[in-house]
Amino acid sequence: MRAAELFRSRFGGTPDGVWLAPGRANLMGEHTDYNDGYVLPFALGQAVTAAAARRAERQLTLCSRQEPAAAVQIALDGLAPGQVTGWAAYPAGVAWALEAAGHPVPGACIAIDSDLPAGAGLSSSAALECATALALTELAQTELAQTELTLTELALPQSAGLTVPRRELAAIARRAENEFVGVPSGIMDQSASLLSQAGHALLLDCRSLETSQVPFAPAAAGASLLLINTRAKHDLSDGEYGQRRAECEEAARRLGIPSLRSLTTPAEVDRLADPVLRRRARHVVTDNQRVLDVVALLSTPHPPPGQHGPVDVYRDIGRLLTESHASLRDDFEISWPEADATVEAALAAGAFGARMMGGGFGGSVLALMPAAGAGQVRQAVTTAFARHAWTEPEFLDAVPSQSARRLTSLV
Ligand code: GLA
């Protein structure tokens, strides 16, 4: 509840509510979301929290424990892309995108706290967007409830002011990031933060936007999942991410298909004469298949003891993780030295498998190992970093957790 404390110290008074939105890890399917493909993320226990209260003025006042500078003031009337920069562009963009979608946004004071390391590829930005989106839509709901007017009298759409469906909130948060902040990301991170269930990974088909919950509890099978923040910071707005996206679109155009999702076998990419585009397309088609393979493994009923059992399932998933890393490193060319060294050290120390995660060029590695071997993997990675004289890596738990929610009742 440090966000509520921050609210009290910066704004005085008590917040109307506190909302939490988790960061995400991604088990499989990288750079597949904007290619209409499959992804398999899950929500983390680490999250952004937002303590918020309505205010009479048409203004947002934002402060963050991680950004010690003065609070940021944003006028809601006339808000447009380009007006707000830095971290506050994410919540401001959500207010803008909500209003653009016809949802009323009240003036509010919002105090933000986070235990998600920024730039670690764990979607702290999407978590900030989703926490703000939930806070603003629920505050709007109480504001409407306090007026004498009904929704019909206000001539608002049925969903306005009432809880906005989460899929729609995910699309709104993504629009904020794409059009207000200017980062051309896909729909995976916001979907993971808003639609995940504890103990499950979220299978999302980014073409139909259909989702299903895939039971995912490595600890129960004697396996351990570790996130390793390599401390090489990534930034999706640095151009490399957008370049990969453009290359994928160009590959689809040359193949005469609506998106790389239409590819079903790696052999089909051989029709591309350009070797770079061929490699990019091969990564996408093979990673899509790996998502389906992981889902099939997780969906296999556990056989009787002594046969191919739960730990073997995680060994197989580990192998797919490592294959995905090779594809991201060699075909998509977005890995970075700290990630390659982490994967190598983890495998040498007995991990089932490991891969870089997220947009690339920095951030975190996801490693899967027998629970009893987790200490050895940490040690091996720490030693590898020391040998290169890199800043010590950070190890984080990766527990498939519940999606975004309100933590306190509305007053
Ligand atoms: C970032 C983007 C996502 C996705 C991943 C790569 O996290 O925000 O939309 O493209 O990179 O899989």
Side-chain angles (χ1 to χ4, degrees), residues 132-181:
T132 310
L134 275 192
L136 289 177
T137 47
E138 292 198 21
L139 288 177
Q141 179 184 348
T142 55
E143 186 169 68
L144 278 179
Q146 282 168 7
T147 68
E148 300 280 303
L149 299 169
T150 64
L151 285 178
T152 325
E153 282 166 321
L154 284 168
L156 290 170
Q158 269 304 303
S159 60
L162 299 172
T163 313
V164 181
R166 285 186 172 227
R167 274 163 213 272
E168 190 187 340
L169 268 194
I172 286 170
R174 179 198 179 183
R175 182 163 184 220
E177 185 156 332
N178 289 176
E179 294 179 35
F180 197 93
V181 184

mmCIF file of all heavy atoms in Angstrom, residues 132-181:
data_model
loop_
_atom_site.group_PDB
_atom_site.id
_atom_site.type_symbol
_atom_site.label_atom_id
_atom_site.label_comp_id
_atom_site.label_asym_id
_atom_site.label_seq_id
_atom_site.Cartn_x
_atom_site.Cartn_y
_atom_site.Cartn_z
ATOM 1 N N THR A 132 -3.803 2.651 -14.628
ATOM 2 C CA THR A 132 -4.474 3.939 -14.845
ATOM 3 C C THR A 132 -5.850 3.726 -15.483
ATOM 4 O O THR A 132 -6.825 4.368 -15.097
ATOM 5 C CB THR A 132 -3.629 4.828 -15.793
ATOM 6 O OG1 THR A 132 -2.296 4.852 -15.316
ATOM 7 C CG2 THR A 132 -4.169 6.235 -15.856
ATOM 8 N N ALA A 133 -5.913 2.825 -16.457
ATOM 9 C CA ALA A 133 -7.181 2.585 -17.163
ATOM 10 C C ALA A 133 -8.246 2.069 -16.198
ATOM 11 O O ALA A 133 -9.392 2.533 -16.217
ATOM 12 C CB ALA A 133 -6.963 1.585 -18.297
ATOM 13 N N LEU A 134 -7.872 1.138 -15.330
ATOM 14 C CA LEU A 134 -8.854 0.628 -14.364
ATOM 15 C C LEU A 134 -9.273 1.722 -13.400
ATOM 16 O O LEU A 134 -10.454 1.896 -13.097
ATOM 17 C CB LEU A 134 -8.256 -0.526 -13.550
ATOM 18 C CG LEU A 134 -8.303 -1.927 -14.114
ATOM 19 C CD1 LEU A 134 -7.930 -2.927 -13.020
ATOM 20 C CD2 LEU A 134 -9.678 -2.277 -14.669
ATOM 21 N N ALA A 135 -8.288 2.483 -12.898
ATOM 22 C CA ALA A 135 -8.594 3.543 -11.929
ATOM 23 C C ALA A 135 -9.544 4.564 -12.548
ATOM 24 O O ALA A 135 -10.588 4.886 -11.967
ATOM 25 C CB ALA A 135 -7.302 4.219 -11.465
ATOM 26 N N LEU A 136 -9.224 5.039 -13.745
ATOM 27 C CA LEU A 136 -10.044 6.097 -14.348
ATOM 28 C C LEU A 136 -11.453 5.608 -14.700
ATOM 29 O O LEU A 136 -12.426 6.324 -14.501
ATOM 30 C CB LEU A 136 -9.363 6.667 -15.598
ATOM 31 C CG LEU A 136 -8.110 7.511 -15.334
ATOM 32 C CD1 LEU A 136 -7.476 7.955 -16.647
ATOM 33 C CD2 LEU A 136 -8.442 8.744 -14.475
ATOM 34 N N THR A 137 -11.567 4.369 -15.195
ATOM 35 C CA THR A 137 -12.913 3.897 -15.568
ATOM 36 C C THR A 137 -13.755 3.649 -14.307
ATOM 37 O O THR A 137 -14.946 3.937 -14.296
ATOM 38 C CB THR A 137 -12.865 2.622 -16.428
ATOM 39 O OG1 THR A 137 -11.974 1.689 -15.825
ATOM 40 C CG2 THR A 137 -12.401 2.914 -17.822
ATOM 41 N N GLU A 138 -13.129 3.151 -13.254
ATOM 42 C CA GLU A 138 -13.930 2.906 -12.047
ATOM 43 C C GLU A 138 -14.251 4.211 -11.321
ATOM 44 O O GLU A 138 -15.318 4.355 -10.732
ATOM 45 C CB GLU A 138 -13.221 1.898 -11.144
ATOM 46 C CG GLU A 138 -13.195 0.527 -11.815
ATOM 47 C CD GLU A 138 -12.910 -0.620 -10.857
ATOM 48 O OE1 GLU A 138 -13.111 -0.478 -9.644
ATOM 49 O OE2 GLU A 138 -12.453 -1.662 -11.349
ATOM 50 N N LEU A 139 -13.362 5.177 -11.376
ATOM 51 C CA LEU A 139 -13.679 6.486 -10.777
ATOM 52 C C LEU A 139 -14.820 7.150 -11.550
ATOM 53 O O LEU A 139 -15.692 7.783 -10.957
ATOM 54 C CB LEU A 139 -12.453 7.402 -10.772
ATOM 55 C CG LEU A 139 -11.347 7.053 -9.774
ATOM 56 C CD1 LEU A 139 -10.171 8.002 -9.948
ATOM 57 C CD2 LEU A 139 -11.851 7.094 -8.343
ATOM 58 N N ALA A 140 -14.824 6.985 -12.854
ATOM 59 C CA ALA A 140 -15.900 7.558 -13.675
ATOM 60 C C ALA A 140 -17.234 6.916 -13.300
ATOM 61 O O ALA A 140 -18.272 7.573 -13.254
ATOM 62 C CB ALA A 140 -15.617 7.335 -15.152
ATOM 63 N N GLN A 141 -17.179 5.625 -12.998
ATOM 64 C CA GLN A 141 -18.391 4.889 -12.630
ATOM 65 C C GLN A 141 -18.990 5.466 -11.346
ATOM 66 O O GLN A 141 -20.185 5.723 -11.269
ATOM 67 C CB GLN A 141 -17.986 3.430 -12.430
ATOM 68 C CG GLN A 141 -19.069 2.497 -12.018
ATOM 69 C CD GLN A 141 -18.469 1.105 -11.775
ATOM 70 O OE1 GLN A 141 -17.321 0.827 -12.124
ATOM 71 N NE2 GLN A 141 -19.231 0.246 -11.166
ATOM 72 N N THR A 142 -18.149 5.733 -10.348
ATOM 73 C CA THR A 142 -18.700 6.261 -9.088
ATOM 74 C C THR A 142 -19.189 7.687 -9.298
ATOM 75 O O THR A 142 -20.171 8.094 -8.712
ATOM 76 C CB THR A 142 -17.668 6.253 -7.948
ATOM 77 O OG1 THR A 142 -16.520 6.955 -8.386
ATOM 78 C CG2 THR A 142 -17.284 4.870 -7.536
ATOM 79 N N GLU A 143 -18.519 8.412 -10.191
ATOM 80 C CA GLU A 143 -18.966 9.782 -10.437
ATOM 81 C C GLU A 143 -20.371 9.762 -11.031
ATOM 82 O O GLU A 143 -21.247 10.499 -10.606
ATOM 83 C CB GLU A 143 -18.002 10.475 -11.394
ATOM 84 C CG GLU A 143 -18.304 11.938 -11.589
ATOM 85 C CD GLU A 143 -17.153 12.620 -12.319
ATOM 86 O OE1 GLU A 143 -16.950 12.311 -13.501
ATOM 87 O OE2 GLU A 143 -16.465 13.439 -11.695
ATOM 88 N N LEU A 144 -20.577 8.849 -11.996
ATOM 89 C CA LEU A 144 -21.899 8.757 -12.616
ATOM 90 C C LEU A 144 -22.939 8.315 -11.602
ATOM 91 O O LEU A 144 -24.046 8.833 -11.565
ATOM 92 C CB LEU A 144 -21.862 7.757 -13.775
ATOM 93 C CG LEU A 144 -21.333 8.290 -15.095
ATOM 94 C CD1 LEU A 144 -21.340 7.184 -16.112
ATOM 95 C CD2 LEU A 144 -22.184 9.447 -15.581
ATOM 96 N N ALA A 145 -22.547 7.360 -10.738
ATOM 97 C CA ALA A 145 -23.500 6.846 -9.754
ATOM 98 C C ALA A 145 -23.944 7.960 -8.815
ATOM 99 O O ALA A 145 -25.053 7.940 -8.302
ATOM 100 C CB ALA A 145 -22.853 5.710 -8.969
ATOM 101 N N GLN A 146 -23.068 8.949 -8.632
ATOM 102 C CA GLN A 146 -23.416 10.019 -7.707
ATOM 103 C C GLN A 146 -24.255 11.120 -8.352
ATOM 104 O O GLN A 146 -24.746 11.999 -7.673
ATOM 105 C CB GLN A 146 -22.140 10.621 -7.117
ATOM 106 C CG GLN A 146 -21.587 9.717 -6.029
ATOM 107 C CD GLN A 146 -20.201 10.104 -5.605
ATOM 108 O OE1 GLN A 146 -19.678 11.130 -6.035
ATOM 109 N NE2 GLN A 146 -19.601 9.290 -4.770
ATOM 110 N N THR A 147 -24.349 11.090 -9.682
ATOM 111 C CA THR A 147 -25.225 12.087 -10.311
ATOM 112 C C THR A 147 -26.638 11.512 -10.324
ATOM 113 O O THR A 147 -26.845 10.319 -10.172
ATOM 114 C CB THR A 147 -24.814 12.399 -11.766
ATOM 115 O OG1 THR A 147 -25.068 11.244 -12.535
ATOM 116 C CG2 THR A 147 -23.373 12.804 -11.864
ATOM 117 N N GLU A 148 -27.620 12.356 -10.517
ATOM 118 C CA GLU A 148 -29.016 11.913 -10.548
ATOM 119 C C GLU A 148 -29.347 11.346 -11.925
ATOM 120 O O GLU A 148 -30.375 10.752 -12.129
ATOM 121 C CB GLU A 148 -29.942 13.101 -10.268
ATOM 122 C CG GLU A 148 -29.710 13.753 -8.911
ATOM 123 C CD GLU A 148 -30.387 12.959 -7.809
ATOM 124 O OE1 GLU A 148 -31.602 12.770 -7.913
ATOM 125 O OE2 GLU A 148 -29.687 12.503 -6.886
ATOM 126 N N LEU A 149 -28.452 11.568 -12.889
ATOM 127 C CA LEU A 149 -28.771 11.229 -14.269
ATOM 128 C C LEU A 149 -28.559 9.752 -14.549
ATOM 129 O O LEU A 149 -27.681 9.122 -13.987
ATOM 130 C CB LEU A 149 -27.857 12.030 -15.204
ATOM 131 C CG LEU A 149 -28.003 13.547 -15.102
ATOM 132 C CD1 LEU A 149 -26.880 14.228 -15.855
ATOM 133 C CD2 LEU A 149 -29.340 13.975 -15.675
ATOM 134 N N THR A 150 -29.336 9.223 -15.441
ATOM 135 C CA THR A 150 -29.118 7.843 -15.865
ATOM 136 C C THR A 150 -28.240 7.858 -17.106
ATOM 137 O O THR A 150 -28.068 8.900 -17.746
ATOM 138 C CB THR A 150 -30.443 7.162 -16.235
ATOM 139 O OG1 THR A 150 -30.950 7.854 -17.363
ATOM 140 C CG2 THR A 150 -31.432 7.202 -15.096
ATOM 141 N N LEU A 151 -27.737 6.710 -17.475
ATOM 142 C CA LEU A 151 -26.896 6.624 -18.670
ATOM 143 C C LEU A 151 -27.665 7.068 -19.907
ATOM 144 O O LEU A 151 -27.128 7.735 -20.781
ATOM 145 C CB LEU A 151 -26.428 5.188 -18.876
ATOM 146 C CG LEU A 151 -25.335 4.717 -17.945
ATOM 147 C CD1 LEU A 151 -25.018 3.267 -18.248
ATOM 148 C CD2 LEU A 151 -24.087 5.568 -18.128
ATOM 149 N N THR A 152 -28.958 6.714 -19.959
ATOM 150 C CA THR A 152 -29.752 7.064 -21.135
ATOM 151 C C THR A 152 -29.874 8.578 -21.244
ATOM 152 O O THR A 152 -29.706 9.166 -22.309
ATOM 153 C CB THR A 152 -31.165 6.455 -21.011
ATOM 154 O OG1 THR A 152 -31.035 5.219 -20.359
ATOM 155 C CG2 THR A 152 -31.834 6.324 -22.351
ATOM 156 N N GLU A 153 -30.132 9.224 -20.083
ATOM 157 C CA GLU A 153 -30.261 10.682 -20.112
ATOM 158 C C GLU A 153 -28.959 11.346 -20.554
ATOM 159 O O GLU A 153 -28.960 12.380 -21.200
ATOM 160 C CB GLU A 153 -30.663 11.203 -18.727
ATOM 161 C CG GLU A 153 -32.147 10.991 -18.449
ATOM 162 C CD GLU A 153 -32.467 11.178 -16.974
ATOM 163 O OE1 GLU A 153 -31.661 10.752 -16.127
ATOM 164 O OE2 GLU A 153 -33.502 11.748 -16.684
ATOM 165 N N LEU A 154 -27.851 10.701 -20.183
ATOM 166 C CA LEU A 154 -26.553 11.267 -20.574
ATOM 167 C C LEU A 154 -26.204 10.935 -22.019
ATOM 168 O O LEU A 154 -25.211 11.413 -22.547
ATOM 169 C CB LEU A 154 -25.434 10.707 -19.676
ATOM 170 C CG LEU A 154 -25.361 11.305 -18.274
ATOM 171 C CD1 LEU A 154 -24.433 10.462 -17.406
ATOM 172 C CD2 LEU A 154 -24.841 12.729 -18.337
ATOM 173 N N ALA A 155 -27.028 10.074 -22.650
ATOM 174 C CA ALA A 155 -26.801 9.636 -24.030
ATOM 175 C C ALA A 155 -25.415 9.040 -24.211
ATOM 176 O O ALA A 155 -24.716 9.297 -25.188
ATOM 177 C CB ALA A 155 -27.024 10.793 -25.006
ATOM 178 N N LEU A 156 -24.989 8.253 -23.221
ATOM 179 C CA LEU A 156 -23.681 7.606 -23.324
ATOM 180 C C LEU A 156 -23.877 6.159 -23.747
ATOM 181 O O LEU A 156 -24.928 5.583 -23.489
ATOM 182 C CB LEU A 156 -22.985 7.633 -21.962
ATOM 183 C CG LEU A 156 -22.532 9.010 -21.496
ATOM 184 C CD1 LEU A 156 -22.095 8.957 -20.053
ATOM 185 C CD2 LEU A 156 -21.393 9.506 -22.363
ATOM 186 N N PRO A 157 -22.856 5.567 -24.382
ATOM 187 C CA PRO A 157 -22.981 4.157 -24.730
ATOM 188 C C PRO A 157 -23.173 3.315 -23.460
ATOM 189 O O PRO A 157 -22.755 3.728 -22.381
ATOM 190 C CB PRO A 157 -21.645 3.822 -25.396
ATOM 191 C CG PRO A 157 -20.774 5.015 -25.232
ATOM 192 C CD PRO A 157 -21.602 6.166 -24.802
ATOM 193 N N GLN A 158 -23.818 2.164 -23.616
ATOM 194 C CA GLN A 158 -24.111 1.303 -22.468
ATOM 195 C C GLN A 158 -22.893 1.045 -21.580
ATOM 196 O O GLN A 158 -22.998 1.010 -20.366
ATOM 197 C CB GLN A 158 -24.642 -0.052 -22.960
ATOM 198 C CG GLN A 158 -26.145 -0.082 -23.086
ATOM 199 C CD GLN A 158 -26.851 0.287 -21.780
ATOM 200 O OE1 GLN A 158 -26.628 -0.347 -20.765
ATOM 201 N NE2 GLN A 158 -27.662 1.331 -21.818
ATOM 202 N N SER A 159 -21.756 0.900 -22.220
ATOM 203 C CA SER A 159 -20.580 0.529 -21.432
ATOM 204 C C SER A 159 -19.953 1.729 -20.740
ATOM 205 O O SER A 159 -19.130 1.591 -19.867
ATOM 206 C CB SER A 159 -19.540 -0.119 -22.344
ATOM 207 O OG SER A 159 -19.170 0.798 -23.335
ATOM 208 N N ALA A 160 -20.352 2.942 -21.158
ATOM 209 C CA ALA A 160 -19.665 4.119 -20.642
ATOM 210 C C ALA A 160 -19.835 4.223 -19.143
ATOM 211 O O ALA A 160 -20.926 4.103 -18.620
ATOM 212 C CB ALA A 160 -20.221 5.357 -21.317
ATOM 213 N N GLY A 161 -18.741 4.486 -18.461
ATOM 214 C CA GLY A 161 -18.815 4.708 -17.033
ATOM 215 C C GLY A 161 -19.005 3.422 -16.258
ATOM 216 O O GLY A 161 -18.619 3.350 -15.112
ATOM 217 N N LEU A 162 -19.604 2.419 -16.874
ATOM 218 C CA LEU A 162 -19.682 1.127 -16.209
ATOM 219 C C LEU A 162 -18.354 0.442 -16.496
ATOM 220 O O LEU A 162 -17.550 0.943 -17.259
ATOM 221 C CB LEU A 162 -20.852 0.318 -16.753
ATOM 222 C CG LEU A 162 -22.198 0.998 -16.538
ATOM 223 C CD1 LEU A 162 -23.290 0.259 -17.273
ATOM 224 C CD2 LEU A 162 -22.531 1.081 -15.051
ATOM 225 N N THR A 163 -18.170 -0.716 -15.898
ATOM 226 C CA THR A 163 -16.883 -1.348 -16.109
ATOM 227 C C THR A 163 -16.702 -1.610 -17.604
ATOM 228 O O THR A 163 -17.521 -2.269 -18.229
ATOM 229 C CB THR A 163 -16.829 -2.664 -15.319
ATOM 230 O OG1 THR A 163 -17.303 -2.366 -14.018
ATOM 231 C CG2 THR A 163 -15.434 -3.184 -15.229
ATOM 232 N N VAL A 164 -15.637 -1.087 -18.162
ATOM 233 C CA VAL A 164 -15.370 -1.291 -19.586
ATOM 234 C C VAL A 164 -14.834 -2.718 -19.743
ATOM 235 O O VAL A 164 -13.981 -3.141 -18.970
ATOM 236 C CB VAL A 164 -14.320 -0.264 -20.080
ATOM 237 C CG1 VAL A 164 -14.052 -0.442 -21.554
ATOM 238 C CG2 VAL A 164 -14.782 1.155 -19.771
ATOM 239 N N PRO A 165 -15.348 -3.485 -20.731
ATOM 240 C CA PRO A 165 -14.842 -4.852 -20.910
ATOM 241 C C PRO A 165 -13.307 -4.862 -21.017
ATOM 242 O O PRO A 165 -12.731 -3.969 -21.640
ATOM 243 C CB PRO A 165 -15.488 -5.305 -22.220
ATOM 244 C CG PRO A 165 -16.671 -4.425 -22.392
ATOM 245 C CD PRO A 165 -16.344 -3.123 -21.726
ATOM 246 N N ARG A 166 -12.687 -5.855 -20.420
ATOM 247 C CA ARG A 166 -11.226 -5.841 -20.324
ATOM 248 C C ARG A 166 -10.519 -5.924 -21.671
ATOM 249 O O ARG A 166 -9.454 -5.357 -21.847
ATOM 250 C CB ARG A 166 -10.765 -6.954 -19.390
ATOM 251 C CG ARG A 166 -11.038 -6.552 -17.957
ATOM 252 C CD ARG A 166 -10.495 -7.527 -16.967
ATOM 253 N NE ARG A 166 -10.666 -6.930 -15.648
ATOM 254 C CZ ARG A 166 -9.717 -6.877 -14.719
ATOM 255 N NH1 ARG A 166 -8.541 -7.421 -14.941
ATOM 256 N NH2 ARG A 166 -9.948 -6.310 -13.565
ATOM 257 N N ARG A 167 -11.112 -6.665 -22.606
ATOM 258 C CA ARG A 167 -10.481 -6.719 -23.938
ATOM 259 C C ARG A 167 -10.435 -5.330 -24.551
ATOM 260 O O ARG A 167 -9.482 -4.953 -25.222
ATOM 261 C CB ARG A 167 -11.311 -7.582 -24.878
ATOM 262 C CG ARG A 167 -11.009 -9.021 -24.809
ATOM 263 C CD ARG A 167 -12.166 -9.779 -25.454
ATOM 264 N NE ARG A 167 -12.330 -11.042 -24.771
ATOM 265 C CZ ARG A 167 -11.686 -12.139 -25.112
ATOM 266 N NH1 ARG A 167 -10.890 -12.128 -26.149
ATOM 267 N NH2 ARG A 167 -11.843 -13.241 -24.430
ATOM 268 N N GLU A 168 -11.533 -4.582 -24.317
ATOM 269 C CA GLU A 168 -11.585 -3.233 -24.864
ATOM 270 C C GLU A 168 -10.576 -2.333 -24.142
ATOM 271 O O GLU A 168 -9.889 -1.521 -24.772
ATOM 272 C CB GLU A 168 -13.002 -2.674 -24.728
ATOM 273 C CG GLU A 168 -13.154 -1.381 -25.498
ATOM 274 C CD GLU A 168 -14.498 -0.680 -25.281
ATOM 275 O OE1 GLU A 168 -15.472 -1.332 -24.850
ATOM 276 O OE2 GLU A 168 -14.544 0.535 -25.538
ATOM 277 N N LEU A 169 -10.462 -2.517 -22.820
ATOM 278 C CA LEU A 169 -9.465 -1.726 -22.077
ATOM 279 C C LEU A 169 -8.053 -2.012 -22.583
ATOM 280 O O LEU A 169 -7.224 -1.109 -22.693
ATOM 281 C CB LEU A 169 -9.510 -2.065 -20.585
ATOM 282 C CG LEU A 169 -10.401 -1.244 -19.674
ATOM 283 C CD1 LEU A 169 -10.037 -1.524 -18.221
ATOM 284 C CD2 LEU A 169 -10.310 0.252 -19.960
ATOM 285 N N ALA A 170 -7.790 -3.291 -22.904
ATOM 286 C CA ALA A 170 -6.460 -3.650 -23.425
ATOM 287 C C ALA A 170 -6.203 -2.918 -24.739
ATOM 288 O O ALA A 170 -5.121 -2.360 -24.966
ATOM 289 C CB ALA A 170 -6.346 -5.168 -23.611
ATOM 290 N N ALA A 171 -7.210 -2.884 -25.603
ATOM 291 C CA ALA A 171 -7.051 -2.213 -26.898
ATOM 292 C C ALA A 171 -6.856 -0.709 -26.699
ATOM 293 O O ALA A 171 -6.057 -0.074 -27.400
ATOM 294 C CB ALA A 171 -8.273 -2.483 -27.774
ATOM 295 N N ILE A 172 -7.561 -0.143 -25.724
ATOM 296 C CA ILE A 172 -7.435 1.292 -25.439
ATOM 297 C C ILE A 172 -6.025 1.600 -24.914
ATOM 298 O O ILE A 172 -5.385 2.563 -25.340
ATOM 299 C CB ILE A 172 -8.536 1.721 -24.434
ATOM 300 C CG1 ILE A 172 -9.887 1.763 -25.156
ATOM 301 C CG2 ILE A 172 -8.209 3.047 -23.762
ATOM 302 C CD1 ILE A 172 -11.098 1.939 -24.252
ATOM 303 N N ALA A 173 -5.535 0.757 -24.008
ATOM 304 C CA ALA A 173 -4.190 0.978 -23.445
ATOM 305 C C ALA A 173 -3.133 0.850 -24.546
ATOM 306 O O ALA A 173 -2.169 1.609 -24.605
ATOM 307 C CB ALA A 173 -3.928 -0.013 -22.314
ATOM 308 N N ARG A 174 -3.336 -0.119 -25.445
ATOM 309 C CA ARG A 174 -2.378 -0.263 -26.555
ATOM 310 C C ARG A 174 -2.430 0.967 -27.470
ATOM 311 O O ARG A 174 -1.396 1.458 -27.923
ATOM 312 C CB ARG A 174 -2.703 -1.513 -27.367
ATOM 313 C CG ARG A 174 -1.749 -1.675 -28.514
ATOM 314 C CD ARG A 174 -2.263 -2.612 -29.560
ATOM 315 N NE ARG A 174 -1.316 -2.722 -30.656
ATOM 316 C CZ ARG A 174 -1.534 -3.426 -31.733
ATOM 317 N NH1 ARG A 174 -2.630 -4.118 -31.863
ATOM 318 N NH2 ARG A 174 -0.635 -3.456 -32.687
ATOM 319 N N ARG A 175 -3.634 1.483 -27.710
ATOM 320 C CA ARG A 175 -3.751 2.660 -28.575
ATOM 321 C C ARG A 175 -3.005 3.834 -27.938
ATOM 322 O O ARG A 175 -2.341 4.617 -28.632
ATOM 323 C CB ARG A 175 -5.238 2.992 -28.785
ATOM 324 C CG ARG A 175 -5.405 4.156 -29.684
ATOM 325 C CD ARG A 175 -6.780 4.331 -30.266
ATOM 326 N NE ARG A 175 -6.711 5.454 -31.193
ATOM 327 C CZ ARG A 175 -7.648 6.380 -31.318
ATOM 328 N NH1 ARG A 175 -8.755 6.302 -30.603
ATOM 329 N NH2 ARG A 175 -7.487 7.366 -32.159
ATOM 330 N N ALA A 176 -3.114 3.943 -26.614
ATOM 331 C CA ALA A 176 -2.400 5.009 -25.896
ATOM 332 C C ALA A 176 -0.904 4.892 -26.187
ATOM 333 O O ALA A 176 -0.222 5.874 -26.494
ATOM 334 C CB ALA A 176 -2.661 4.903 -24.401
ATOM 335 N N GLU A 177 -0.390 3.665 -26.111
ATOM 336 C CA GLU A 177 1.049 3.449 -26.299
ATOM 337 C C GLU A 177 1.454 3.704 -27.758
ATOM 338 O O GLU A 177 2.461 4.348 -28.037
ATOM 339 C CB GLU A 177 1.402 2.016 -25.883
ATOM 340 C CG GLU A 177 2.877 1.730 -25.927
ATOM 341 C CD GLU A 177 3.301 0.591 -25.013
ATOM 342 O OE1 GLU A 177 2.645 0.344 -23.984
ATOM 343 O OE2 GLU A 177 4.311 -0.054 -25.333
ATOM 344 N N ASN A 178 0.634 3.212 -28.689
ATOM 345 C CA ASN A 178 0.961 3.361 -30.115
ATOM 346 C C ASN A 178 0.854 4.812 -30.570
ATOM 347 O O ASN A 178 1.750 5.343 -31.200
ATOM 348 C CB ASN A 178 0.011 2.527 -30.986
ATOM 349 C CG ASN A 178 0.234 1.020 -30.875
ATOM 350 O OD1 ASN A 178 -0.483 0.231 -31.447
ATOM 351 N ND2 ASN A 178 1.224 0.588 -30.112
ATOM 352 N N GLU A 179 -0.278 5.437 -30.251
ATOM 353 C CA GLU A 179 -0.573 6.730 -30.869
ATOM 354 C C GLU A 179 -0.234 7.924 -29.991
ATOM 355 O O GLU A 179 0.038 9.001 -30.497
ATOM 356 C CB GLU A 179 -2.058 6.780 -31.272
ATOM 357 C CG GLU A 179 -2.347 5.779 -32.376
ATOM 358 C CD GLU A 179 -3.808 5.768 -32.786
ATOM 359 O OE1 GLU A 179 -4.442 6.831 -32.777
ATOM 360 O OE2 GLU A 179 -4.308 4.670 -33.100
ATOM 361 N N PHE A 180 -0.279 7.762 -28.679
ATOM 362 C CA PHE A 180 0.013 8.917 -27.821
ATOM 363 C C PHE A 180 1.499 8.935 -27.446
ATOM 364 O O PHE A 180 2.170 9.951 -27.544
ATOM 365 C CB PHE A 180 -0.858 8.864 -26.555
ATOM 366 C CG PHE A 180 -0.927 10.176 -25.824
ATOM 367 C CD1 PHE A 180 -1.954 11.087 -26.081
ATOM 368 C CD2 PHE A 180 0.029 10.528 -24.880
ATOM 369 C CE1 PHE A 180 -2.019 12.310 -25.418
ATOM 370 C CE2 PHE A 180 -0.025 11.743 -24.214
ATOM 371 C CZ PHE A 180 -1.046 12.631 -24.487
ATOM 372 N N VAL A 181 2.011 7.755 -27.049
ATOM 373 C CA VAL A 181 3.436 7.682 -26.675
ATOM 374 C C VAL A 181 4.299 7.531 -27.928
ATOM 375 O O VAL A 181 5.437 7.988 -27.969
ATOM 376 C CB VAL A 181 3.689 6.513 -25.682
ATOM 377 C CG1 VAL A 181 5.137 6.492 -25.224
ATOM 378 C CG2 VAL A 181 2.746 6.595 -24.487
#
